[in-house]
Amino acid sequence: MSERLTMLEERASARRPLLMVALVAGDPHLDATLDYMGILAEAGVDMVELIVPFSEPAYHGAVLQRAMARAVNEHLDWAQIEEIAAEFRRSYPSVALVVSSYLNRLMVAPMGPIFEGLQAAGVDALWIYDLPMEESAEVESYSEAAGLPLVRAVSATTSLERFREIARRAEAPIIWTGHSGGELTLTGEAFEERLRTFGEYTRRPIVASMGVTTGAEAQAVVQAADGVLVGSSVAWLLEGRGPDVKEHLRRHVVELRSRVDEVAGQG
Amino acid sequence: MGSPVCGAFGEFGGRFVAEALWSPLAEVAGAFEEALGDPSFGARVHGWAEQRLGRPTPLTHLGGLSDALGGAQIWLKREDLLSGGSFCGVVALTQALVAVRLGRGELVGETATGDFGVALGQVGLALGLKVRVFMTRDDMAAEPAAVRRMEEMGLALEPVEGPARGRRGAMAEALRYVACEPQQAFYVTSSLASPDPYPRMVAFGAEIIGNECARQLRERGVSADYVVAPVGSGGFACGLFGAFVQEGSVPGVQLVGVQSGGDASPTRGAASLVRGGVGVHMGTRSFVLQDALGQVVTPLTDAAGMAMPVVGPQHARWMRTGQVQYVELADAEAYAAVRTLARSEGILACLESGYGLAYALRLAPTLPEDAHVVVGLSGDGARDLGRLSRARGEGVSS
């Protein structure tokens, strides 16, 4: 596990909530991606999720689907993702970076070198949305060989028994996927109760993706979770692509950061 | 990559889904496996197939067309004659009965041509279940009769924005809905290209078609030399081939799956087994139409039921083992074959069946008169009358 991920665990265990923000690589064009990642880093995110666009984003909502549809036209390959990651790492050595995509994007080339290249570029973990634990043995072998951990996801349908096995394998923050473009599956007390229960069985931070679009919502999520993952609201901002898009993005993330930090030390 | 853990067909198949879907699918798999061990389940499927859907369907010898072509004898397995006009009913029925075992109150599925949506309505309503059908706006516009029929049944129709005709966009939305309603909703699919246990469940229902066909051939004293079927996601063909592909069950028969080559240009069409590569899409490891970056290529074909970028894992395995031969034919040939059948025998087949027919029309004249070619006719062609007229206007069929 990278030093950056270890630091995130320390932050979370000190009840300093984590902010993770997702961006689609190549949306609206490749040249902008590093700029946007820099804005996120300077606005104080703990983790950037760089989504490698896939033509069939079945587990994303409409906004991120549109973002990926735009980004697919940039024809990004893994070498370009590694370049972006390496450049980001040079400028922002302390901000964790998770690369994510769907399994098919990883199957078009030998997988081992992809893992090795991402790790060498300074990527901290890889999240494959459609790779459940049961089907992941071979991918895990590449992950272990390269020293690039897989991000594990859990959801409202994950039993405690299953969670314990997922947590046992987790070497990176665990993502609670409570929102995938549809209605939230658990809200309020049920969500808090489930997160509390899960939290007793892992040292890894649990970062919740809950369709958050505002600072207030982010703050509500981190009352129960160790961190919050924000994605579609950023893609929605970038979709506007007005002249002040970067400033809007900066303000949005600063607002998220400040509202999340108000919860620090509580609980 | 090695063999999948769940629902493997050799190196193909599996349950490649987001965590939110894993446990619901595992529950469905458990219920299905339990049902397989319950003799009353199979009896109920067969009883309903007979009483509600109109099975068995005939095996029709096309004497006139065979004579006109001057070669092998052509036979049709007539799924067009079922209630609802297609083979889909028995596929929906199997899954709906599993839903009942799990105590679910709502069937949720997707449809492209409308056939499966109608089948879902027929079966679901009869079982006292709510039915929700996802369909792309383009497909809804292209299939007004099916849409009206589903509306008349009172089904909840959910329009889906999508890049093209076909099931994949609607399928993603249907799965998303089910993931948010895991206690009440039960996902039902016509697509063989789906996560485990769905390929197994689709095949279980559809295999009735092949079993009937093999029995009917025996009863007629006929030994098939070729069995031909269209392959989109491959559910129908899997069902028809199932009885023949088992090692030693029917020796000497050549199975041929025919995919759509679209307008015959090399980068279009829907022939995943001919032009695709191995990948993971729609929850299964199989052959996928994709580019060098692993982006899925949109299949372009006039036949919505063939417009799938990925094929069921059973076909992927049969392709690997050589148990089935897969070819592609252009849309124009399918149109021409549908018209030939209509004019020579008075049978109107759906456009999807036209691909298998077209192959048989090519093949039969090359074979002796005592050879037999069975063609799977997956559904009725009334819904394709407009397309046939337009195709004739554009000069793509004779």
Side-chain angles (χ1 to χ4, degrees), chain B residues 55 57-58 75-91 113 115-116 119 167 206 209 228-232 234-240 258 303-306 338 341 347-357 375-381 383-384:
Chain B
R55 303 207 71 92
T57 59
W75 301 76
L76 287 187
K77 181 59 178 159
R78 301 286 305 280
E79 302 296 291
D80 59 313
L81 295 177
L82 288 164
S83 176
S86 83
F87 79 99
C88 293
V90 77
V91 172
T113 63
D115 286 348
F116 191 69
R167 280 170 292 195
I209 303 164
V228 184
V231 177
F236 172 65
C238 181
L240 183 59
V258 189
M306 304 289 271
V338 168
L341 179 68
I347 297 169
L348 185 64
C350 63
L351 183 57
E352 287 76 14
S353 300
Y355 299 87
L357 279 169
V375 182
L377 206 156
S378 60
D380 177 75
R383 61 173 163 79
D384 287 316

Side-chain angles (χ1 to χ4, degrees), chain B residues 2-4 7-13 285 313 317:
Chain B
S3 293
F9 298 90
E11 68 186 277
F12 303 105
R285 184 167 192 263
R317 183 178 59 163

Side-chain angles (χ1 to χ4, degrees), chain B residues 303-322:
Chain B
M306 304 289 271
M308 284 291 280
V310 55
V311 71
Q314 290 96 324
H315 290 288
R317 183 178 59 163
W318 293 337
M319 170 89 167
R320 271 279 197 265
T321 59

Side-chain angles (χ1 to χ4, degrees), chain B residues 179-210:
Chain B
C180 296
E181 300 284 347
Q183 301 307 312
Q184 179 63 12
F186 184 95
Y187 176 65
V188 184
T189 187
S190 64
S191 176
L192 196 67
S194 44
D196 180 72
Y198 285 93
R200 291 189 280 152
M201 288 200 292
V202 170
F204 177 83
E207 275 170 9
I208 292 174
I209 303 164

Side-chain angles (χ1 to χ4, degrees), chain A residues 53-62 65 72 75-78 103-105 107-108 111 129-136 138-139 142 153-159 162 166 177 180-185, chain B residues 1-7 13-24 161 163 168-169 172-173 175-176 179-182 278-283 285 288 290-298 309:
Chain A
F54 181 49
S55 56
E56 310 290 322
Y59 301 124
H60 287 86
Q65 284 185 22
V72 161
H75 305 290
L76 286 178
D77 61 20
W78 287 104
L103 183 57
N104 203 58
R105 289 286 334 247
M107 289 180 67
V108 290
M111 222 179 275
Y129 303 119
D130 53 349
L131 185 66
M133 142 179 96
E134 285 79 356
E135 300 285 8
S136 67
E138 188 169 352
V139 177
Y142 296 119
V154 296
S155 78
T157 61
T158 305
S159 65
R162 188 172 169 79
I166 290 169
T177 52
S180 59
E183 294 300 309
L184 288 173
T185 43
Chain B
M1 289 177 70
S3 293
V5 171
C6 303
R15 194 183 298 162
F16 294 92
V17 294
E19 173 63 21
L21 287 172
W22 177 270
S23 295
E161 304 299 336
R168 58 188 181 144
E173 290 301 319
L175 280 167
R176 198 190 306 280
C180 296
E181 300 284 347
V278 175
V280 166
H281 183 37
M282 290 187 173
R285 184 167 192 263
V288 181
Q290 57 187 317
D291 66 15
L293 295 172
Q295 305 291 13
V296 175
V297 174
T298 299

